[in-house]
Every structure is written in C-alpha cells, then in structure tokens.
Amino acid sequence: MIQEYTAEHLFQGPIADEYDMLRQICPAAAEMSHRVGEFIGGWMRTYPYTHLNLLEIGCGTGITTAHLLAYRDRIEIVSVDNAPAMLAQARQNLAEALNSGHLHLIENDALSYLQSIPDSSFDIVASAYALHNFLDGYRSRVLEEVLRVLKPGGLFINGDRYAVDDAREHLKNTQEEVKGYFQVFLKMNRPDLLEQWIVHLFSDESEDHIMRLQLALDIMAKIGFRDIDLNFREGTNALVSAVKP
Ligand SMILES: C[S@@+](CC[C@H](N)C(=O)[O-])C[C@H]1O[C@@H](n2cnc3c(N)ncnc32)[C@H](O)[C@@H]1O
C-alpha cells in the first residue's frame, strides 16, 4: 500500500525522456511557466530586499526555471526534483546558469529536502505542475514545510493543474484533454507515449491525488498562508499565490 506521505516516481522512461512533448499536448503549461516568472517579477518590486533566495519544487527539465533565471541578478535559485531523467535534461538546458553559480540543482524528493532546511530560509518558493502529482497527504506536508521555510512576507507561487470544482465541468475538460492526446500522439504514430500520458493522467485524476482548486485554497488557509489569490484560471490551469504572514 502507498503511504500518504510517500514521494512517488512518476517521471521515468519515455514520458521523462521525451518530456518536451508536453508543449504539444498542453501548450498552456509552457504559458504558465512564463506566468510564474512574470508574477515573481511584479511581486519583487514590492519586496524590500535586494538579494533573494528562491526554492523551486519539481523543476523537471527546467522549463519554468529558465523563466526564473530572468532575475538571476537578484535571485539565487535552488531547484529540487526527484527524477534523475528530468534532472539530466535540466543540467543540459540550464548549463550556463549552473556554471555561473546562479542555480543549484538538487536530486531529492521535495518533502525530504524541505525537511532538511532551517526555518525562514527562502524569500520565494515557486513551482509549476509538480504539486498536482503529489499524494494528498504528501502535498499537505509539503505545503506546511513551504510555510515554515519561507521568510515572513515571503511568497509562494504555484502554476499548476487544479481540478475544476464542478465535477461535470472537470470531466468535460479532462475528456477534451484526452482527445487532444490522441490527436497529437496518433498523428506522430507514437502509441507508446499516448499510453504513458494517459496512464499518468489517471494518476493525476485518482482520488488520492486530484487537487481540487477550492479545497486546495482552503487547505493553504488552514495551514496558515495569507493573501491567497487565484491570479489566473483557464480550464484546469491555475496560478495561485500566497504569502507567509
Ligand atoms: C509535470 S513535471 C513539471 C516540471 C517543471 N516544473 C515544468 O514546469 O515543466 C513535474 C515534476 O515534478 C517532479 N516531482 C514529482 N514528484 C516529486 C517529488 N515528490 N519530489 C520532487 N520532485 C517531484 C517530477 O519528477 C517532474 O520533474
């Protein structure tokens, strides 16, 4: 039986080796990476400190990290991921930032890494499309740790797949997603990837993973985040921000 605090390894094999396919089946994800970066740029203008530390959870191949690096003059970034195949691509894609010391990549699971760092270590914790992969209990523990490691006034920003609260509307959205997968992968004659992504979607949608928007916001409030805002919402894609009091 999977324990609710278990870190899973969902990104290995073809789905990880050819992760760039995501751009084709979910163009909204690439746009979200841009939105996460843009939001941080705006937020930083109101933040009183000049040199900031940012923790990125689940950096994958570095698609969102690349947007965070736009602020490398002010922000030092630590990005953590537990998938070696994803991190190998990130190392290639982000070689310049790694060599210049603006970025540190850590292979670890998000919760273990968070638990290893002291209180109030980061000004910003950012993530894109990682938290929806987590088991419910694990996700709540991660969010508790995020709050702990943020400095007072620090920002949590997450662009992710948040299930639509209305179950019928959510089902309709998911069915459209599945149709899109078939269109893209059958056109490419890649039934292997089609299978992998559909299996992955079943995991996202399962009862112990699905991240429903309103419940997710309520859990964040209960944990102690303040100024919880929904900054963007389109289908299942949402940009959520919150602050540590
Ligand atoms: C859908 S990908 C998103 C990657 C990247 N953030 C982006 O914007 O493209 C999710 C990433 O989260 C990572 N991940 C999932 N569970 C994790 C965990 N428990 N700890 C650390 N990383 C995790 C996966 O390995 C994967 O690279």
Side-chain angles (χ1 to χ4, degrees):
M1 194 181 93
I2 301 176
Q3 298 298 311
E4 61 172 343
Y5 299 146
T6 302
E8 296 179 291
H9 292 268
L10 302 170
F11 289 83
Q12 46 196 338
I15 200 167
D17 297 339
E18 297 183 64
Y19 185 71
D20 269 1
M21 289 292 171
L22 183 76
R23 287 182 203 276
Q24 307 209 34
I25 57 169
C26 184
E31 285 164 30
M32 187 63 81
S33 297
H34 177 71
R35 280 179 213 282
V36 169
E38 206 174 48
F39 187 94
I40 290 172
W43 177 85
M44 269 168 36
R45 282 187 223 117
T46 64
Y47 194 67
Y49 308 109
T50 317
H51 294 290
L52 314 186
N53 293 310
L54 182 152
L55 170 64
E56 183 190 10
I57 296 176
C59 62
T61 60
I63 297 169
T64 304
T65 324
H67 291 279
L68 306 178
L69 283 165
Y71 311 108
R72 67 181 76 198
D73 291 347
R74 280 186 66 189
I75 302 185
E76 188 171 331
I77 302 173
V78 175
S79 295
V80 62
D81 201 290
N82 69 347
M86 300 291 271
L87 282 172
Q89 293 168 69
R91 272 183 212 106
Q92 284 190 351
N93 297 338
L94 307 168
E96 191 268 325
L98 284 166
N99 292 335
S100 64
H102 291 104
L103 171 69
H104 311 274
L105 291 182
I106 308 238
E107 186 181 325
N108 200 347
D109 90 86
L111 185 56
S112 302
Y113 180 68
L114 282 159
Q115 286 171 332
S116 75
I117 52 184
D119 294 359
S120 305
S121 300
F122 288 98
D123 302 279
I124 304 171
V125 176
S127 191
Y129 295 99
L131 269 68
H132 79 278
N133 293 138
F134 297 171
L135 285 157
D136 286 342
Y138 181 93
R139 183 159 56 233
S140 293
R141 287 288 301 114
V142 164
L143 287 169
E144 284 166 6
E145 287 296 305
V146 166
L147 189 69
R148 184 183 66 75
V149 305
L150 273 174
K151 296 178 188 169
L155 172 73
F156 172 58
I157 177 85
N158 187 36
D160 215 323
R161 186 174 202 279
Y162 285 90
V164 178
D165 293 308
D166 181 295
R168 290 177 77 91
E169 200 190 325
H170 183 69
L171 174 63
K172 230 166 82 190
N173 270 304
T174 310
Q175 288 168 333
E176 289 306 315
E177 270 178 72
V178 171
K179 285 185 203 168
Y181 289 11
F182 272 82
Q183 271 168 18
V184 169
F185 291 127
L186 291 186
K187 206 163 153 190
M188 296 171 145
N189 195 21
R190 293 299 304 270
D192 56 330
L193 281 178
L194 175 62
E195 179 187 295
Q196 292 260 327
W197 276 102
I198 287 191
V199 166
H200 183 85
L201 186 63
F202 266 84
S203 168
D204 291 350
E205 291 292 305
S206 63
E207 209 44 54
D208 51 1
H209 291 84
I210 191 164
M211 183 164 73
R212 295 193 193 284
L213 180 64
Q214 191 53 54
L215 184 59
L217 302 182
D218 292 347
I219 288 171
M220 285 172 63
K222 205 168 157 199
I223 286 172
F225 286 95
R226 293 291 173 266
D227 300 337
I228 301 167
D229 283 327
L230 177 62
N231 303 282
F232 172 82
R233 176 67 153 159
E234 199 173 84
T236 52
N237 302 289
L239 182 66
V240 170
S241 65
V243 168
K244 174 164 175 171

